[in-house]
Amino acid sequence: MKKNLRNKVLLIIGVLLVFIYGIFGIPSGFSGQALMATLTQRIHLGLDLKGGAHLILQVKVLEAVNDETDNTAARIQDDLKQAHLTFSQVYKPSPLKVDGTGQPQTIRVEGVTADQEGAVRNRLDSKYGTEYDIAGNADNSFTVTMKPMVESDLEKRAVQQTIETIRDRVDALGVSEPDIQQYGLGDNQILVELPGISDLDRVKSIIQSTARLEIHAVVAGPFQDEPTALSSVGGALPADEELVHFSGVSGNEADQVYILQRMAIVKGNDFRSADPGTNPNTGQLNVQFTLTNQAGDRFYQYTRANVGRYMAVVLGGSVREVASIHEPIRDRGEIEGSFSREEVQNLSKLLSSGALPASLTYLEQRTVGASLGADSIREGVTAAIVGLVVVLIFMLIYYKGAGINADLALILNLVILLGFMGYSTATLTLPGIAGVILTIGMGVDSNVLVFERIREEIRAGKAAAAAVDQGFAHAWTTIFDTHVTTIVSAAILFVFGTGPVRGFATTLVVGLCANLFTAVFVSRVIFDSHLNKLKPGEMVSI
């Protein structure tokens, strides 16, 4: 009995056309050069194929913890003042130092009178007890310590915020198809891959700079060196003050040291926007910034109460500028200095994209040249083409007429896979090409299972139509099981892998899903179409 295959054939043709469009889109021409140009535009190449930068960064998450407890110490001080409770100081006994040592999780509240000890504890418990452990001491002081779970969550958020900030900065520079993601398990590391980068030094400069722009109150200075600065305060700094070196706007000025309030008036994440500008009076380049509403109110209150005093603009841990407060400032201001045009643009991008919650160290940095990427493409594509041609020839020789069936299914499989890469934002890497080659092997394996089963049914004396029907029915379970187990393995690679490993897993999963469609549905339709043309008693060529 002949089958009506019209709808199935139309479905296959429709799928073929949809994915061919995914590969080429609407080409500007039909010459080989035009088609290749369109293909490279739609299928995004990874770092190992296109060349670019590969970086592994370590996030110093304790800095985010240090900043959070700085803010908490300031809030505790304000809360106790508003409640009219007596205390002498709120400070961190061991803040984070430059060398990474310290216990920034701990805050101390000292000078509480005995009659107000209960009121202070109640105030601390009610407002900070969910995130901090509150412990009273024998001298009527209190120790406020960040809970380990809160610290862990803060560190995770710091890594994720760093990823988003780096992504915003890279996007602002126009780097195409960047891969920025967490690297490793629980190590606070970030993988950054920037394919096809044209100005590596500038991008590295943008990423390296923490853009931790802060405005601090100046306590004293400038001094010639640190010993001189320390001698001015009796040889030891109070816990709420710090020494910061002056680097100036160009970084080449003579070394000077300032004593600053440790707690910043305004921090990098308080900036809403920043744009390059020019002083109309002097023609000097500057950065014009706008603060968030909350930061603007806080900045206004501080500058109104400190007219005539000095404040320091600190960028990357160094004083870049010291300015006198002439009048209250709310939410708009300017950062002036001897900036070059590129420095102004870079600083604007850094502030607009937000401050990193913590600074970074570089664990690994290397580049892949474009010529090496071109060699990888040529060799990978050559391997894929040779493998495909050898498989196609083998199937034709070994399975005769049925080999044509398998070859058509394999070609459609590749069209679907490449079409998916064109439609999606997935990036094709060298391991991805290996996944394509493995997909070819899996596709052949599926056809072999079906064809060998059909041969067994023919040897058992069944007619052509019955042999084909039983061959597909019995092979389907095995094909499905092998594909599902491989897809699960590839999914695990995608979840826990990074970069090229994910590229391999992506192409393998898509190729296997396409193979289920081509090796079972498309191949069956081709067989049924051939069976419709056979004379009664005639056998298929297999």
Side-chain angles (χ1 to χ4, degrees), residues 12 97 134 138 158 161 199 220 249 311 350 426-427 447 466 489 541:
I12 294 171
K97 299 178 182 177
I134 315 297
Q161 184 181 341
D199 191 348
V249 294
M311 59 183 181
L350 292 173
T427 301
N447 283 290
S489 300
S541 174

Side-chain angles (χ1 to χ4, degrees), residues 307-425:
V307 172
R309 296 185 178 181
Y310 289 90
M311 59 183 181
V313 177
V314 179
L315 179 62
S318 299
V319 175
R320 301 298 297 273
E321 184 180 0
V322 175
S324 173
I325 304 173
H326 297 295
E327 58 184 13
I329 306 171
R330 188 173 292 276
D331 60 349
R332 294 180 182 273
E334 297 177 353
I335 302 172
E336 292 187 338
S338 302
F339 293 114
S340 69
R341 186 168 299 278
E342 183 173 329
E343 287 174 331
V344 167
Q345 292 174 345
N346 286 350
L347 182 56
S348 300
K349 285 185 173 69
L350 292 173
L351 296 179
S352 296
S353 63
L356 292 175
S359 60
L360 305 168
T361 56
Y362 280 71
L363 302 181
E364 180 182 338
Q365 49 183 317
R366 56 184 170 85
T367 58
V368 178
S371 60
L372 181 59
D375 291 339
S376 299
I377 295 174
R378 182 171 57 254
E379 293 172 2
V381 171
T382 299
I385 292 175
V386 170
L388 178 62
V389 170
V390 170
V391 168
L392 295 178
I393 293 174
F394 169 79
M395 296 300 287
L396 287 173
I397 294 174
Y398 192 74
Y399 289 109
K400 304 174 184 177
I404 300 175
N405 183 329
D407 291 350
L408 292 174
L410 280 175
I411 292 172
L412 180 57
N413 193 352
L414 288 177
V415 169
I416 292 174
L417 177 54
L418 294 176
F420 171 84
M421 300 295 290
Y423 278 120
S424 70
T425 57

Side-chain angles (χ1 to χ4, degrees), residues 12 17 42 63 92 149-150 155 176 214 217 229 237 256 266 276 300 352 361 381 405 410 414 423 461 466 499 515:
I12 294 171
L17 293 176
R42 294 186 65 84
E63 291 184 1
K92 294 197 300 186
M149 184 174 295
V150 174
E155 291 176 354
S176 61
E214 301 173 343
L237 280 178
Q256 294 178 317
V266 174
Y300 177 76
S352 296
T361 56
V381 171
N405 183 329
L410 280 175
L414 288 177
Y423 278 120
N515 189 52

